[in-house]
Amino acid sequence: YWFDKAAKQGYAAAQYALGKLYLSDDASVHDPELGIQWLEYAAYNGNHDASYRLGKEYLKGESVRRDTRKAMDHIYTSAQAGNLHAQYLLGKLCLSGDGVPQDKDAAYDWFQKAQAQGHDYAGFFVDRIERQEPPNILLSATRLLYHMGKIFQGSAPAPQNSGVQIDRKRLAKLRRMRMAAGHKA
């Protein structure tokens, strides 16, 4: 309700949030057509995150008809504005030649810009782009790293707030030393 009110008053951040909400998997609000419309408004009003998201939507072609030209326009606009995710994506597209002419030098430049802003995977490409491997090998490696990270993140044990963790043998030795020094068990 409040996003809708703010979006209709021209607030770009609300338009972007509303577009993302309509594109979400939440069945109670899912409306791809309305989601794309709000993202378009937000991008037009200068929200570069919306431009990046629109570019991805036009590349995928699931919520809207696939349009590589529109996708590239939105991604490039967002990358030029400093969105590190758009810079990284544009680097990948330039490296693979998907939607744009294949250009390793341009890909390297976009990866460097994204890396300078802290994008982890962009550094992977910057370090390896001069190697002789085909670009699809590098792209596959980053997808694999991403998915492995998600697996490990989901299966990692929850941190315990019990202080310093120590293994069983060291704990027993520490207890014996305390007892020998006269402390209670």
Side-chain angles (χ1 to χ4, degrees):
Y1 172 79
W2 291 111
F3 280 146
D4 189 59
K5 288 271 190 204
K8 286 178 180 172
Q9 291 179 12
Y11 188 56
Q15 292 169 339
Y16 171 60
L18 196 56
K20 281 179 41 178
L21 185 62
Y22 282 128
L23 289 172
S24 73
D25 293 334
D26 185 349
S28 64
V29 294
H30 185 75
D31 187 343
E33 188 176 316
L34 207 49
I36 295 295
Q37 180 182 349
W38 281 116
L39 286 179
E40 291 278 359
Y41 289 147
Y44 178 77
N45 287 324
N47 188 304
H48 302 297
D49 292 324
S51 291
Y52 168 67
R53 178 68 187 263
L54 265 173
K56 284 180 60 176
E57 292 297 330
Y58 280 116
L59 271 179
K60 284 192 298 186
E62 293 172 5
S63 300
V64 68
R65 190 173 50 92
R66 182 175 163 89
D67 187 336
T68 307
R69 183 73 196 139
K70 274 187 177 181
M72 295 311 298
D73 287 345
H74 285 295
I75 293 168
Y76 185 77
T77 299
S78 185
Q80 284 290 99
N83 183 313
L84 74 147
H85 302 294
Q87 292 168 343
Y88 173 70
L89 179 57
L90 198 51
K92 283 176 43 177
L93 295 172
C94 287
L95 185 63
S96 68
D98 187 13
V100 294
Q102 190 173 14
D103 185 352
K104 264 189 170 180
D105 293 332
Y108 184 79
D109 290 341
W110 286 115
F111 287 137
Q112 272 192 319
K113 289 177 182 179
Q115 181 187 28
Q117 294 190 66
H119 197 287
D120 295 329
Y121 293 131
F124 175 84
F125 282 101
V126 168
D127 295 341
R128 290 164 180 80
I129 202 162
E130 292 303 321
R131 293 187 180 176
Q132 298 302 320
E133 293 116 6
N136 61 344
I137 299 287
L138 293 174
L139 295 168
S140 297
T142 57
R143 271 189 240 110
L144 178 64
L145 290 171
Y146 173 79
H147 290 298
M148 285 176 61
K150 289 292 186 187
I151 290 169
F152 289 122
Q153 186 178 36
S155 64
Q160 298 178 4
N161 295 330
S162 61
V164 178
Q165 298 295 315
I166 189 167
D167 71 358
R168 188 172 28 102
K169 290 180 183 178
R170 287 192 179 151
L171 186 58
K173 183 179 177 182
L174 186 59
R175 282 186 186 139
R176 285 193 305 272
M177 289 172 55
R178 283 188 198 154
M179 297 279 289
H183 295 283
K184 293 180 182 177

